[in-house]
Each structure stands twice: as structure tokens, then as C-alpha cells.
Amino acid sequence: MADAAPDAITLLKNDHREVEGLFKEYENASGPAAKQKIAGRIAGALIVHTRIENEHFYPACEGKVDEADLKEAYVEHDAANVLIAEILASTKGDDFAEAKVKVLKEEIEHHVGEEERWLTGIFSQAKRHGVDMDALGETLAKAKARYEAEIEKDGPEVHLAALKKTKVAAV
């Protein structure tokens, strides 16, 4: 029997820790080629994470989580996606590459803090108001595996374009 998928909050928090580790790895890397490779991994991880939140987690939270918090989360994703696109398009001669990664890190830290904030964060609100985290965890895990495989096959740029179809970007 295969291991059960983690509940939605555990899966999303694991993603947060993974990305935090990648940012640390980026900071400790030496040389533009190494940094560029890690920046690509950061971009891919964030694209997958954003897709599973935008397409599955946030819609499951509608009506159960403060609407203003969800709107802010969508906007934060869109803002991060602008930097992700620029980072993916960066070349070794991009004088602003490190600054872009640093600002992205700061944006992600803020976003994670708002999702994970005790009692009033999106995760706490969703859990407290009855979102089925076990079933949603299975959905997220399947979508995450599919998106990771697609990024491996097609590259992250294709999937970044898919994020432009979210609520905020479409307005």
C-alpha cells in the first residue's frame, strides 16, 4: 500500500520549508552559474506551489477564509510571478539577478508568514472552518506530482504562463 498523502497544510508547509532551503542554498552558492541553476530550481518550486494553491487550495477555502486574505494571497502570487519570470529570463550578465532573487525571497517570506500565522493565517482559518485537509492533501499531492512532471518535460516558462490565467491576472 502506498503512503498516504500528507494533509494539505502539511504539504504546503513542506513546500515552504523546501523553498526556504533553496533560498539559503542560493545565498551560499558561489559563482553566477551555480546561482542561476539554483534560481531556476526556486522558480520551478514556486511555480508548482503557486499552481496548487491557486487552482486547488484557495478555491477550497472560498467562503471559509476571509475573502480579503485570499485576494491578497492571489495578488502576492502574481507579484512573485513577475519576479520569477524575470529571474527565468535572466542571463549570466544580469546585474540585477541577485537583487531579484533577494526581493523574491522577501516577498515569499511575507506571504508564508500570512499563510502560516497562528489563528488568523489562511491555514488556521481554513482548518478551523472545516476545509477537509486530508482530501485536499490528496488533491494537492496529485496536482503537484503532475505539475512537477510537466515542468520537467516542458520547462517552467510554459507553466508560468498558466498562472496568468488566475483570477487576479484575468481582471
Side-chain angles (χ1 to χ4, degrees):
M1 182 172 159
D3 291 335
D7 68 72
I9 292 173
T10 299
L11 184 143
L12 295 172
K13 283 183 174 182
N14 287 345
D15 281 359
H16 292 168
R17 302 298 84 81
E18 175 191 354
V19 171
E20 288 168 358
L22 288 170
F23 279 121
K24 188 170 287 300
E25 195 177 323
Y26 179 89
E27 290 168 357
N28 294 329
S30 58
K35 286 185 176 273
Q36 189 174 20
K37 183 175 180 177
I38 297 165
R41 290 173 49 212
I42 291 168
L46 288 173
I47 290 167
V48 169
H49 182 79
T50 298
R51 283 194 72 185
I52 65 174
E53 283 191 336
N54 285 7
E55 296 173 13
H56 304 284
F57 185 75
Y58 294 158
C61 292
E62 288 179 10
K64 298 179 188 288
V65 170
D66 183 70
E67 184 180 351
D69 290 342
L70 287 177
K71 285 180 178 178
E72 184 177 343
Y74 281 117
V75 171
E76 287 171 347
H77 280 178
D78 281 355
N81 292 340
V82 170
L83 280 172
I84 291 168
E86 290 183 15
I87 289 165
L88 288 172
S90 291
T91 62
K92 291 179 185 161
D94 185 349
D95 292 338
F96 291 93
E98 289 212 32
K100 290 172 185 175
V101 173
K102 182 179 180 180
V103 171
L104 179 62
K105 178 184 178 216
E106 291 167 355
E107 285 185 8
I108 297 304
E109 286 172 346
H110 169 82
H111 179 73
V112 166
E114 294 202 342
E115 285 185 337
E116 294 186 8
R117 188 175 53 242
W118 178 250
L119 296 179
T120 59
I122 290 174
F123 294 170
S124 290
Q125 290 180 57
K127 191 170 185 174
R128 191 170 58 250
H129 292 105
V131 174
D132 184 345
M133 293 301 167
D134 292 328
L136 190 52
E138 288 183 33
T139 300
L140 296 181
K142 288 176 185 172
K144 180 178 178 179
R146 185 172 66 249
Y147 299 154
E148 286 173 338
E150 290 172 358
I151 282 180
E152 184 71 30
K153 179 179 165 252
D154 304 328
E157 295 81 3
V158 172
H159 299 279
L160 190 58
L163 290 170
K164 293 185 174 81
K165 297 175 184 168
T166 64
K167 291 181 177 193
V168 178
V171 174

